[in-house]
Amino acid sequence: DVKVTQSSRYLVKRTGEKVFLECVQDMDHENMFWYRQDPGLGLRLIYFSYDVKMKEKGDIPEGYSVSREKKERFSLILESASTNQTSMYLCASSFDGGDQPQHFGDGTRLSIL
Amino acid sequence: AQSVTQPDIHITVSEGASLELRCNYSYGATPYLFWYVQSPGQGLQLLLKYFSGDTLVQGIKGFEAEFKRSQSSFNLRKPSVHWSDAAEYFCAVGVNNNDMRFGAGTRLTVKP
């Protein structure tokens, strides 16, 4: 079974802090994704990576950056956290191809105070 | 522009009753179509997917979905709902890895 592991289930940080969210997958998937989930808005793509050191902006990249130094690991970075970044963050991975389903981690609920 | 609409924010059904969750999409071409389920405190799990061929697809946990090209719809159904089906359900459509569009979700409550 595919396992996507997010390092924290709950995280509380302060405004202005640099925040790292980590995600690891164990299925050798080429693609990895970071989504933000807010009530009534569904999932919105922040960043997508299709290979090591390769990334593409999603729909809402402002205020975020990502890092993919190894195939299995994809990190989301909030350079200077703000209260409007309080949300649920979901990491996913998949094989290459639009027909490939995405496999999700359990999410990190991030609160910025 | 690509979009996915799940018209029902919240649905309540009695245990044992049938269920239909609606999904409509707007896309330039026929996309790949997915249904996911999210139980409280967990990530999304794939229920089923449609690429081509038979327009009625079977998934896990007794769910099925029907693709209707003329209506741009991909509705999810289950003949008899169990209490454990209470969760949030997301429809997703896309063609490429980076253009998957998720609906806003439908929260299902199951009454005893």
Side-chain angles (χ1 to χ4, degrees), chain B residues 14-58:
Chain B
S14 297
E15 191 167 16
S18 64
L19 171 70
E20 182 169 26
L21 302 182
R22 296 182 290 164
C23 173
N24 296 98
Y25 67 89
S26 174
Y27 218 92
T30 300
Y32 302 114
L33 301 154
F34 305 84
W35 274 101
Y36 291 86
V37 60
Q38 184 179 34
S39 297
Q42 296 186 14
L44 279 67
Q45 179 186 18
L46 179 71
L47 281 176
L48 48 77
K49 57 188 179 184
Y50 173 79
F51 303 149
S52 64
D54 192 346
T55 56
L56 186 63
V57 293
Q58 302 298 319

Side-chain angles (χ1 to χ4, degrees), chain A residues 34-49:
Chain A
W34 274 107
Y35 291 94
R36 173 173 171 160
Q37 182 180 15
D38 298 290
L41 297 179
L43 276 68
R44 293 179 291 168
L45 182 64
I46 305 171
Y47 267 99
F48 157 64
S49 170

Side-chain angles (χ1 to χ4, degrees), chain A residues 72-84:
Chain A
E72 67 271 18
R73 187 179 296 271
F74 192 35
S75 302
L76 179 70
I77 303 155
L78 286 64
E79 296 289 344
S80 178
S82 64
T83 54
N84 62 13

Side-chain angles (χ1 to χ4, degrees), chain B:
Chain B
Q2 307 127 333
S3 67
V4 182
T5 303
Q6 293 181 244
D8 305 303
I9 297 173
H10 184 207
I11 284 183
T12 299
V13 300
S14 297
E15 191 167 16
S18 64
L19 171 70
E20 182 169 26
L21 302 182
R22 296 182 290 164
C23 173
N24 296 98
Y25 67 89
S26 174
Y27 218 92
T30 300
Y32 302 114
L33 301 154
F34 305 84
W35 274 101
Y36 291 86
V37 60
Q38 184 179 34
S39 297
Q42 296 186 14
L44 279 67
Q45 179 186 18
L46 179 71
L47 281 176
L48 48 77
K49 57 188 179 184
Y50 173 79
F51 303 149
S52 64
D54 192 346
T55 56
L56 186 63
V57 293
Q58 302 298 319
I60 63 171
K61 305 185 181 189
F63 284 92
E64 65 179 26
E66 185 172 13
F67 170 60
K68 292 186 177 179
R69 185 189 304 273
S70 61
Q71 298 177 19
S72 296
S73 69
F74 188 54
N75 293 349
L76 182 71
R77 300 195 294 247
K78 187 169 185 178
S80 177
V81 169
H82 187 262
W83 64 267
S84 60
D85 293 324
E88 189 150 22
Y89 292 80
F90 292 92
C91 179
V93 306
V95 172
N96 300 307
N97 295 310
N98 61 348
D99 75 346
M100 195 63 55
R101 291 284 179 262
F102 288 81
T106 297
R107 185 162 60 93
L108 174 65
T109 297
V110 181
K111 291 191 303 186

Side-chain angles (χ1 to χ4, degrees), chain A residues 2-9 22-26 29 32-35 37 43 88-94 102-109, chain B residues 36-46:
Chain A
V2 177
K3 190 150 183 68
V4 179
T5 303
Q6 295 185 230
S7 54
S8 304
R9 294 297 301 274
E22 307 286 345
C23 175
V24 177
Q25 52 97 1
D26 66 357
H29 285 161
M32 295 190 75
F33 309 82
W34 274 107
Y35 291 94
Q37 182 180 15
L43 276 68
M88 170 69 87
Y89 290 87
L90 291 172
C91 175
S93 69
S94 77
Q102 296 182 19
H103 300 265
F104 287 83
D106 286 340
T108 295
R109 186 163 293 284
Chain B
Y36 291 86
V37 60
Q38 184 179 34
S39 297
Q42 296 186 14
L44 279 67
Q45 179 186 18
L46 179 71

